[in-house]
Amino acid sequence: MLAVKYALRRLLLALGVGFLAGQLSLVATLVFASWLLRRNGESWRALGLRRPASIPAALGWAFGAAIVIVAVLPLFLEPVVTALGWPPQHTERLGDLRNTWWFLLMLLPAAWGSAAFGEEMLYRGFFNTRLARLLGDGRAARVAGAIGQALLFGLAHWYLGPRGVLNTFAIGLTSSAVYALNGRNLWPLIIAHGLVDTIGLTALRLGVGSH
């Protein structure tokens, strides 16, 4: 699955598609994952893409997860990357966010589209549950699945540099914990992901911090 995503991304980059390479390869991977689910008699609804039992509770999980990711994780990660001497995240590939049209393109179809929806469906919904099932689907298997999908999620953001990989690994673990605790519903994660990326992109546009 990841090999397909990587190969498509490299092909699109070679064709000069640039920014769209990551988006299109993610969409293609989701289509392939959808086909695999359908072949096995499953659906995205079973993996959590369904109406939450309680909208207020789902929003609580979403805002809580966003706060943890934006305000709490850096308190633990920053001392580590400082001690290791890692440079700031490589955000050059995000383009010139001072350009309003480019900022909106990154914010709406990218952050709230392929990232919030696509990445949560693929990593927290698909890879998380598939890895756990492959390992037996017991408690230890689910923990291993959560760690495995977080590693894959971090490595998928290698273009951000080692600091970016660590950050996204920690975000993947946090999101997987929320997924397990909220009854395996993806909507809180999608909303939290969109909020976090919106805060990060806005901060970069204003020149404060790195996402």
Side-chain angles (χ1 to χ4, degrees), residues 134-205:
L134 181 66
L135 297 171
D137 213 20
R139 180 175 297 179
R142 292 183 182 184
V143 171
I147 295 172
Q149 65 80 29
L151 283 171
L152 295 175
F153 187 55
L155 292 174
H157 292 80
W158 184 257
Y159 62 90
L160 293 173
R163 184 184 292 237
V165 172
L166 178 62
N167 285 343
T168 48
F169 169 75
I171 291 171
L173 276 183
T174 302
S175 299
S176 185
V178 172
Y179 180 65
L181 292 170
N182 79 358
R184 291 193 168 191
N185 194 286
L186 289 172
W187 281 106
L189 304 179
I190 291 169
I191 295 171
H193 197 142
L195 290 173
V196 169
D197 281 3
T198 297
I199 293 169
L201 290 171
T202 302
L204 287 174
R205 177 177 168 83

Side-chain angles (χ1 to χ4, degrees), residues 27-184:
V27 170
T29 307
L30 282 171
V31 170
F32 185 44
S34 300
W35 176 77
L36 289 175
L37 288 173
R38 185 173 182 179
R39 188 187 66 173
N40 293 329
E42 298 178 273
S43 67
W44 288 109
R45 177 180 173 81
L47 299 187
L49 198 63
R50 59 184 181 274
R51 180 184 175 87
S54 168
I55 300 298
L59 291 175
W61 279 110
F63 284 107
I67 291 171
V68 169
I69 291 169
V70 172
V72 178
L73 287 184
L75 298 178
F76 295 93
L77 299 179
E78 195 59 35
V80 174
V81 296
T82 299
L84 293 172
W86 287 351
Q89 293 186 125
H90 304 314
T91 57
E92 301 83 8
R93 268 185 58 178
L94 299 179
D96 184 8
L97 295 172
R98 293 170 298 178
N99 181 301
T100 300
W101 289 109
W102 181 255
F103 173 73
L104 292 175
L105 180 65
M106 290 295 294
L107 185 63
L108 299 176
W112 280 96
S114 63
F117 274 90
E119 290 183 346
E120 293 307 322
M121 290 170 64
L122 187 62
Y123 290 95
R124 256 61 74 190
F126 189 83
F127 286 136
N128 193 11
T129 56
R130 299 311 95 173
L131 287 171
R133 178 178 295 181
L134 181 66
L135 297 171
D137 213 20
R139 180 175 297 179
R142 292 183 182 184
V143 171
I147 295 172
Q149 65 80 29
L151 283 171
L152 295 175
F153 187 55
L155 292 174
H157 292 80
W158 184 257
Y159 62 90
L160 293 173
R163 184 184 292 237
V165 172
L166 178 62
N167 285 343
T168 48
F169 169 75
I171 291 171
L173 276 183
T174 302
S175 299
S176 185
V178 172
Y179 180 65
L181 292 170
N182 79 358
R184 291 193 168 191

